[in-house]
Structures are given as structure tokens and as C-alpha cells.
Amino acid sequence: MDSFTPWIEKYRPKNLSEVIGHEDITKRLQALVETKNIPHLLLVGPPGCGKTTSILAMAYELFGESFSECFLELNASDERGIDVVRKKMKDFARTIPLARTPFKIIFLDEADNLTSDAQQALRRTMEKYASNTRFILSANYSSRIIEPIQSRCAVFRFSRLSDDEIKKIAVVISKGEGLTIEEDGLNSVVYVSEGDARKAINCLQGAAAISKKITEKEIYKISSRARPKEVSEMIETAMKGKFTTARNLLDKLMIDYGMNGEDVINQVYREIIQLNLPDEKKVRIIDKIGEYDFRMIEGAQERIQLEALLAQLSIL
């Protein structure tokens, strides 16, 4: 396969037994495949947790060589208006499936981006063509899917992948690509990904373009993240009252790693939770982090706000 092929596609499982993580959900999906008794489905969970991968694996098992004729994937973030429901979906749903499976599947990814009118139109379409077409929707936020659609679907809730599951994915890909990944490299992939397999795979592919030996240095560099110990050092220096030294460390983080204000403040928050401090002090610091994060979101100059946060840590 072309070396420029995204690894997310290259290593996407072709059957449910190969999917890493969410064993309880994959078992339920496997049971639906075996009985070929699939209702409309709604998959809810954070980005990169395996929703799309699970459905594609299920569809490959169901349709085999007839996959392209019996499976239609639409991304609602691109095509989110009522015309998509009225034209593309209806045209596909009207035709009779040619495979042994007695129905086809329309997979609507990122369905929470559908407009309200499109969701209202989808309600009737789901009912009208239920005999030969199943609708599967995935969303990051179930609250953005109207209640009538939720009531028509069996809901599967996905959580972020665990550290061990992210490591398994990284090891499988490293072996497949002939990479050597050290323990600190694995830990850094886990830290950067935050339970998102897409982030983990993209970091690995970016780091592999630099070196076949993956260490934490390559991972943090490619993801524009700082080492946790460097962020902790900056925080602890500020809390000792050494504002100027902490400010210099902030300079180093932003220049060496190309981090922006949001990246820095997110990592500061993660490290504060890990520090050996009394809960009362953590609460006061997190309150300040939230305040300065809000200011930056509202458009305040990020460098001034980050230095002001370090000044607050020095006072605390």
C-alpha cells in the first residue's frame, strides 16, 4: 500500500473481532450480525473512540463483496441540509438490496451536525424504508439529536479508550510498519492522545516520518506538546515565587514546541491535578486556570494571560 496512505485507513479492522476496546459493544454488534436482525442504531461518544470503525467492521462482515452496493456512508458535517435526506438517502433506500442480507445500511457519521429540518425529515424516512434499509447514526453529543430519532434507535454509548487499549493500537501499528517504539514513546502516545485513537495513530505516523525509532521526543515534537515534567517544572518554579525563571520556562515551551496558549493552559491543568498539593490549593489554582482560559477564548492576548496565570501561581 502507498506509504502516504493514512494509517487510520490502512489499519482499520475488517471484522469486529479485530476492533480494540469496547468489548461489550462489539459483542452486542457481533450478535446482531450473526442473527442479521439489526435495528436502527445511534452510536454516541467522544471523537476517536471507535464508533465509525465498529460500524465499518460490522458492515464488512454483513455484506462482504457486496459492501459498496449495500452500504452508504455520509458525513453530516459536509452534507447537513434537508436535500441530503430528500435526495441521496431516499434514492439509496428505495432500491432493493442485492446481497444475501435482506437490508442495506445508511451510515450517517457526525449526525449531530445535521440541521433541525434535516433531522425532522429523517424521522419519516427511517420509518418509510425500514423494511429494506437500516439507518445508523454516530454523534459526539446525543443532546443534539432530536428525541424522536433517539427513540427510533438502539443507543450504544462509547467511552474514551483506556491507556492499555491505546498502547495495544500503537504496538500493532508499530509492528506492522517495522518501527521500534520505546516505553517512553508508548507513554507519550498515551499522554498526547487522551483516549483518542485517531490522535494516537496520527502522532505515530508523523513521528515515523522522522525516525523509525519512536521516542517521547519525536511524539511530543510532532504533536506540539511539552513533556509533562517540563510543564510541572514551570508550575513548581512559579509556586516557589520565582516568576522570572517560570516565565523563561514558558518561553522555552512555546518556542521549542510551537505551543499556543490553549495548548499550554490545557497541559497546566492536567499537571495541576497530578501534583502533590492539598485539595484546597488545587481548587484555588483550577479556579484561576478556568478564569484565564475563558479570557483567552474571549480574545484576550494569550501571552499576557499565561504570564498573569504564572503571577497568580507565584502569589498562591
Side-chain angles (χ1 to χ4, degrees), residues 40-86:
H40 299 313
L41 302 177
L42 172 60
L43 282 60
V44 182
C49 65
K51 302 185 296 296
T52 302
T53 294
S54 298
I55 293 306
L56 289 175
M58 182 182 79
Y60 282 128
E61 287 197 42
L62 272 171
F63 302 127
E65 294 179 357
S66 304
F67 176 86
S68 58
E69 292 83 24
C70 297
F71 185 83
L72 174 65
E73 181 180 3
L74 297 171
N75 193 304
S77 62
D78 295 327
E79 304 167 290
R80 55 198 298 263
I82 195 169
D83 288 343
V84 178
V85 178
R86 287 177 174 168

Side-chain angles (χ1 to χ4, degrees), residues 192-246:
V192 165
S193 66
E194 299 180 80
D196 183 336
R198 192 181 293 116
K199 277 186 187 177
I201 295 169
N202 284 334
C203 280
L204 272 177
Q205 186 165 13
I210 301 170
S211 171
K212 288 291 185 182
K213 185 177 181 181
I214 309 297
T215 64
E216 65 172 9
K217 181 180 178 182
E218 283 80 26
I219 296 296
Y220 288 127
K221 197 77 174 176
I222 204 73
S223 62
S224 297
R225 296 289 184 92
R227 292 183 177 90
K229 62 184 179 184
E230 292 176 304
V231 180
S232 297
E233 182 186 357
M234 180 185 72
I235 296 168
E236 290 169 354
T237 302
M239 293 183 71
K240 290 174 183 175
K242 299 176 181 178
F243 172 77
T244 305
T245 307

Side-chain angles (χ1 to χ4, degrees), residues 91-150:
D91 288 346
F92 184 79
R94 283 192 184 106
T95 57
I96 299 170
L98 300 176
R100 293 180 181 178
T101 307
F103 56 83
K104 297 186 294 183
I105 288 177
I106 294 177
F107 177 45
L108 198 55
D109 204 0
E110 300 182 45
D112 44 350
N113 286 315
L114 277 175
T115 62
S116 179
D117 288 343
Q119 290 194 43
Q120 295 294 346
L122 184 59
R123 293 165 52 181
R124 179 63 182 144
T125 306
M126 291 173 73
E127 287 181 350
K128 188 174 180 180
Y129 299 104
S131 61
N132 68 313
T133 304
R134 301 294 184 270
F135 288 81
I136 300 178
L137 291 73
S138 78
N140 297 140
Y141 307 100
S142 59
S143 58
R144 295 181 186 173
I145 304 293
I146 60 173
E147 196 61 39
I149 287 181
Q150 292 194 44

